Amino acid sequence: MIPPNISRRSFLKATAALAGGGPIFASVMKAQAHAASKPLIAYVGTYSSPLPIIRPGQVDLPPGNGKGIHLFQVERATGALSPHGVVEMATSPSCVALNSAGTRLYSANETEQLAENDAGTVSAFAINPSDGQLTLLNTVSSGGAGPTYISIHPSGRFALVANYFGGSVAVLPILPDGKLGPKTDFKQDAGAVGPKQAKNAPPGSFAISGHDVPHAHMIKTDPTGRFALTPDLGLDEIVVWKFDDQAGVLSPNDPAAVSFPPGDGPRHFDFHPNGRWLYSLQEEGSNIVLFDYDSEKGRLTPRQTLSSLPPGFVGSNFCSEITVSSDGRYVYAANRLHDSIAWFAVGETGTLTFVAEEWTRGDYPRSFNFDPTGSYLYCCNQRADAITTFHVDQKTGGLTFTGQYTPVGNPSMLVFLDLAKAR
């Protein structure tokens, strides 16, 4: 009988090795068993303190029910989450990101506790390769207020941070030991803010947020790492930067941005696996825009706009997260207030067709993510203080609630690390 979690190919190789000597077979089997015993870990960023400054029009007011970064071990067969520890932080590590090797985790701490421009912080952690536990390496300034997003450059040598309240972005070098160095660049978004009422909002919507000053909501590079893109909700545009991966410096692209209809409020985006299509989700417009992407010039050309909500919806809604399935067949988008995740089929030319939507079984889905196999989707219901788990039908894109609720105070984001595959 082939041992569980060992592929038939590996088993046959080991059997062949046995013919040449028992010790070789034993060492192969031991290595396979050791890898199979390593857990799949979920890291959950939370709001762990209330916002100290309440601004006009601020609608997202998490009370800070989380404790910091919560760790869970994932049961691979069922998708169930079991508590695996907490890194207590009172600075609201609302966004977390892993390096490609799975050896370091970085958090954007959405706080305003530093004297420098009410800046927030960014923290670096070492990951224990055996059990996934975190050890703090250092914490540095994010350069602006309310850092809400962090991503890692494909080179692994820089962290990119978006400061929502500060309306700015920063580049932080990642040192050889994984610690973060002082920022190598800082850019302040500027321009005319859009109107409070989105032109494309659903009928009867009172979803108003963020159109008072610039609000950088995300920053991430394209797959090549040559350009960094920042949706600014307040300016109703995606800013495009050229990225110097040697100096860690941003410079304006030509054109420097792509604009959206007034008030729509671009929030997050995701690239299709082919790198040629980008899907942008608008918080107040409650819509998705498909862009053709020119990776040589860093240019975006809009081609389709459609609602993130089911046909006939009226009233208020705030969009939050958008993700393309790993096989590129479906796009998923989360709707807050409607409290749903909708999915769309991707056509041959990248255009989307609404398929269906599923209730998140919670309140205010801030984000969601898939496990590494794509078999399960996990939704962070911020106001319901729980993560809900759904089985994914990878043929139809459909979501089915598993019945699993995992209590977490004000969950904001989660990422997965398979320690059996980490370097």
Side-chain angles (χ1 to χ4, degrees):
M1 179 178 178
I2 299 176
N5 298 316
I6 297 178
S7 68
R8 183 174 183 272
R9 178 178 292 179
S10 297
F11 181 76
L12 291 175
K13 285 184 177 179
T15 304
L18 179 60
I24 297 177
F25 174 77
S27 63
V28 170
M29 296 298 289
K30 183 177 180 180
Q32 291 279 358
H34 178 68
S37 67
K38 289 189 174 183
L40 172 61
I41 303 297
Y43 299 95
V44 181
T46 69
Y47 286 97
S48 55
S49 61
L51 296 173
I53 302 173
I54 307 301
R55 294 168 173 79
Q58 186 67 31
V59 297
D60 194 356
L61 303 173
N65 295 332
K67 293 183 178 180
I69 300 175
H70 294 241
L71 283 67
F72 295 89
Q73 186 165 334
V74 184
E75 170 56 49
R76 297 175 189 269
T78 66
L81 303 177
S82 57
H84 194 59
V86 180
V87 178
E88 295 194 5
M89 302 170 66
T91 50
S92 291
S94 62
C95 183
V96 290
L98 295 162
N99 68 347
S100 60
T103 58
R104 300 288 185 267
L105 180 140
Y106 299 88
S107 69
N109 309 319
E110 199 168 342
T111 184
E112 298 165 316
Q113 296 186 356
L114 299 185
E116 177 194 352
N117 300 322
D118 294 324
T121 60
V122 182
S123 297
F125 299 87
I127 298 174
N128 185 308
S130 297
D131 59 10
Q133 297 298 322
L134 302 177
T135 300
L136 179 66
L137 295 175
N138 73 329
T139 297
V140 300
S141 170
S142 70
T148 190
Y149 197 90
I150 184 169
S151 63
I152 308 302
H153 186 269
S155 69
R157 297 190 296 110
F158 299 96
L160 309 177
V161 183
N163 298 300
Y164 178 79
F165 293 131
S168 61
V169 296
V171 181
L172 304 174
I174 298 176
L175 306 180
D177 61 0
K179 292 182 178 179
L180 294 164
K183 59 182 180 290
T184 55
D185 201 4
F186 175 85
K187 292 291 190 290
Q188 180 69 53
D189 290 355
V193 298
K196 291 183 178 181
Q197 190 69 35
K199 179 180 179 180
N200 288 328
S205 174
F206 289 88
I208 298 171
S209 73
H211 286 89
D212 50 353
V213 294
H215 288 297
H217 218 309
M218 175 185 181
I219 182 169
K220 190 174 183 179
T221 70
D222 69 354
T224 72
R226 296 176 55 219
F227 299 92
L229 293 78
T230 299
D232 191 297
L233 187 148
L235 300 181
D236 293 320
E237 61 185 24
I238 293 179
V239 181
V240 183
W241 303 98
K242 297 177 183 177
F243 187 76
D244 183 337
D245 64 1
Q246 297 303 309
V249 173
L250 302 165
S251 59
N253 192 42
D254 180 18
V258 60
S259 297
F260 289 78
D264 271 15
R267 177 185 173 96
H268 280 186
F269 65 80
D270 198 16
F271 278 95
H272 189 273
N274 66 18
R276 296 186 288 108
W277 304 326
L278 178 145
Y279 299 94
S280 176
L281 185 67
Q282 284 55 255
E283 179 170 314
E284 295 178 53
S286 291
N287 57 36
I288 301 170
V289 176
L290 160 64
F291 289 91
D292 287 320
Y293 180 68
D294 183 340
S295 60
E296 290 298 317
K297 298 180 180 180
R299 293 183 179 177
L300 295 166
T301 303
R303 185 153 53 87
Q304 181 193 24
T305 300
L306 75 167
S307 175
S308 66
L309 294 156
F313 175 86
V314 296
S316 296
N317 180 73
F318 290 101
C319 290
S320 57
E321 186 67 270
I322 186 166
T323 299
V324 184
S325 62
S326 59
D327 61 9
R329 297 178 60 202
Y330 296 97
V331 170
Y332 295 79
N335 297 294
R336 295 175 293 180
L337 299 185
H338 187 255
D339 294 336
S340 67
I341 295 176
W343 61 97
F344 305 79
V346 179
E348 291 184 0
T349 63
T351 57
L352 300 181
T353 301
F354 176 82
V355 178
E357 47 87 16
E358 179 69 20
W359 174 37
T360 66
R361 278 25 179 226
D363 187 3
Y364 221 63
R366 182 171 179 84
S367 72
F368 61 87
N369 201 359
F370 297 90
D371 78 318
T373 69
S375 300
Y376 293 97
L377 180 149
Y378 298 81
C379 181
C380 292
N381 296 294
Q382 178 184 311
R383 293 180 180 174
D385 298 312
I387 295 172
T388 46
T389 306
F390 298 82
H391 181 264
V392 182
D393 184 327
Q394 294 173 325
K395 291 183 179 180
T396 67
L399 302 177
T400 302
F401 183 49
T402 64
Q404 297 169 10
Y405 294 88
T406 303
V408 186
N410 291 156
S412 175
M413 181 181 185
L414 78 165
V415 295
F416 294 90
L417 176 61
D418 189 343
L419 291 174
K421 297 180 180 179
R423 289 181 246 164

